[in-house]
Amino acid sequence: MLVTGKEILDHANKHNYAVGAFNVNNMEIVQAIIEAAEEMNAPVILQASQGAIKYAGIEYITALARVAASKVKVPVAIHLDHGTDFEQVMLCIRHGFTSVMIDGSRYELNKNIEITKKVVEVAHAVGVSVEAELGKIGGTEDDISVDEREATFTDPEEAKIFVDETKVDSLAIAVGTAHGVYKGEPKLDFDRIKAIKEKVGIPLVLHGSSGVPADAIERAVSLGINKINIDTDLRIAFTQAMKDYHREHPDNIDPRKVLGPAREAMKEVIKEKIALFGSAGRA
Ligand code: G3H
Ligand code: ZN
């Protein structure tokens, strides 16, 4: 069932759990996520980055996600991940996304407020939810790269000003995670998550969540994280299963024989994440 991001995240916020937001790029990935969510009776967010839209085409991405959402009873939102400009966000809204992220984190506070506010005004007028980002999350997510030395943590006071001014529905915060594969173990600033949540009250979003230890995820959720973005762990599961199949069947020429096991491997990872985030049985 297709719903807005706000509907999903406000329920998670009220009942202290987090919803998985998984990145989609093709049909098999969409199917893996939707089957996992349905089997776990969990709400879920299908999110497409600008890179995914460039790769698959916005019509394909939206059509796949809409069909997936219409086939299940669990709540499903279609979300733009790391939208960086107004036009891109509008295009996604016009194609039926029910939630969008405007990532103005590369700008200073006032400019970030300004562009986020503009998106919120238009998106809310047509019933679409908005996620914004404050602070800079390190690492690489498709086209967006932030050098580790330039990554800056979210300031709780600024977060309060930002949320009051923009009226955004959810906020992505920088608290020690990074996009991509971690070199060492990530260290999350739990006191900061708590302080931000106390100031803003709205659903908080954790990006760069692949590779974060389970106990850290659980603690982050208990302190107010309600949306957890996962991309890298799915990529690893998918490509590893493809490599394994190729190694065992070097003469295979049927794409379905490779993509089927890859879809299954990804689905297993998604089910583990859903259980860890506390969203199983919440649909
Ligand atoms: O926006 C997407 C996420 O932040 C994905 O991060 O690739 O580290 O899981 P990840
Ligand atoms: Zn991200």
Side-chain angles (χ1 to χ4, degrees):
M1 177 185 36
L2 185 63
V3 300
T4 63
K6 184 173 168 56
E7 196 174 314
I8 289 179
L9 293 182
D10 282 353
H11 188 269
N13 194 13
K14 195 166 163 210
H15 299 280
N16 300 312
Y17 66 93
V19 176
F22 302 102
N23 283 77
V24 300
N25 296 285
N26 67 13
M27 183 188 76
E28 283 77 10
I29 299 175
V30 171
Q31 289 173 330
I33 300 165
I34 217 73
E35 284 173 20
E38 195 183 24
E39 283 174 29
M40 303 289 283
N41 196 29
V44 78
I45 297 170
L46 300 173
Q47 60 183 12
S49 67
Q50 293 180 149
I53 292 170
K54 219 188 281 171
Y55 169 76
I58 193 160
E59 290 86 359
Y60 281 94
I61 285 284
T62 329
L64 287 167
R66 285 182 85 95
V67 168
S70 74
K71 283 178 80 74
V72 292
K73 287 202 192 73
V74 299
V76 179
I78 307 175
H79 175 74
L80 168 65
D81 188 28
H82 292 285
T84 50
D85 66 87
F86 185 77
E87 287 70 25
Q88 175 79 59
V89 171
M90 292 306 113
L91 194 69
C92 288
I93 292 177
R94 192 159 67 78
H95 277 86
F97 281 53
T98 59
S99 175
V100 289
M101 175 182 189
I102 176 70
D103 179 356
S105 61
R106 64 195 179 286
Y107 300 117
E108 46 84 29
L109 180 65
N110 286 336
K111 174 90 175 170
N112 191 356
I113 289 176
E114 188 191 313
I115 65 161
T116 302
K117 221 172 166 176
K118 194 172 158 194
V119 166
V120 169
E121 273 170 20
V122 182
H124 282 182
V126 291
V128 170
S129 325
V130 183
E131 171 185 337
E133 178 173 323
L134 187 66
K136 281 198 189 79
I137 297 162
T140 301
E141 170 80 13
D142 282 345
D143 300 346
I144 303 167
S145 265
V146 176
D147 191 286
E148 300 296 332
R149 286 163 301 186
E150 281 172 26
T152 44
F153 282 13
T154 309
D155 178 75
E157 297 292 338
E158 277 194 5
K160 168 86 180 126
I161 297 168
F162 186 88
V163 169
D164 285 350
E165 290 272 322
T166 60
K167 307 279 185 293
V168 78
D169 301 296
S170 60
L171 185 67
I173 53 173
V175 289
T177 57
H179 291 120
V181 178
Y182 288 99
K183 289 185 197 91
E185 193 177 294
K187 294 267 172 288
L188 270 62
D189 187 341
F190 297 106
D191 292 341
R192 192 175 293 271
I193 299 176
K194 188 167 183 273
I196 298 169
K197 189 70 172 199
E198 279 167 7
K199 288 273 178 204
V200 304
I202 65 169
L204 297 179
V205 183
L206 193 67
H207 282 245
S209 309
S210 294
V212 177
D215 58 340
I217 291 284
E218 276 168 356
R219 195 159 161 209
V221 173
S222 76
L223 295 170
I225 294 290
N226 302 113
K227 173 175 179 275
I228 301 188
N229 287 15
I230 299 282
D231 188 4
T232 300
D233 278 348
L234 305 190
R235 293 181 183 203
I236 293 171
F238 200 85
T239 49
Q240 192 54 52
M242 284 175 60
K243 283 182 196 165
D244 291 347
Y245 191 86
H246 268 309
R247 203 178 38 250
E248 285 155 27
H249 308 85
D251 298 326
N252 171 62
I253 55 149
D254 184 346
R256 295 168 299 186
K257 294 250 167 67
V258 192
L259 293 169
R263 181 174 56 195
E264 278 310 304
M266 193 179 246
K267 187 172 152 185
E268 285 315 306
V269 172
I270 296 163
K271 286 171 81 171
E272 282 167 25
K273 300 285 183 195
I274 287 174
L276 175 63
F277 301 163
S279 54
R282 302 287 193 164

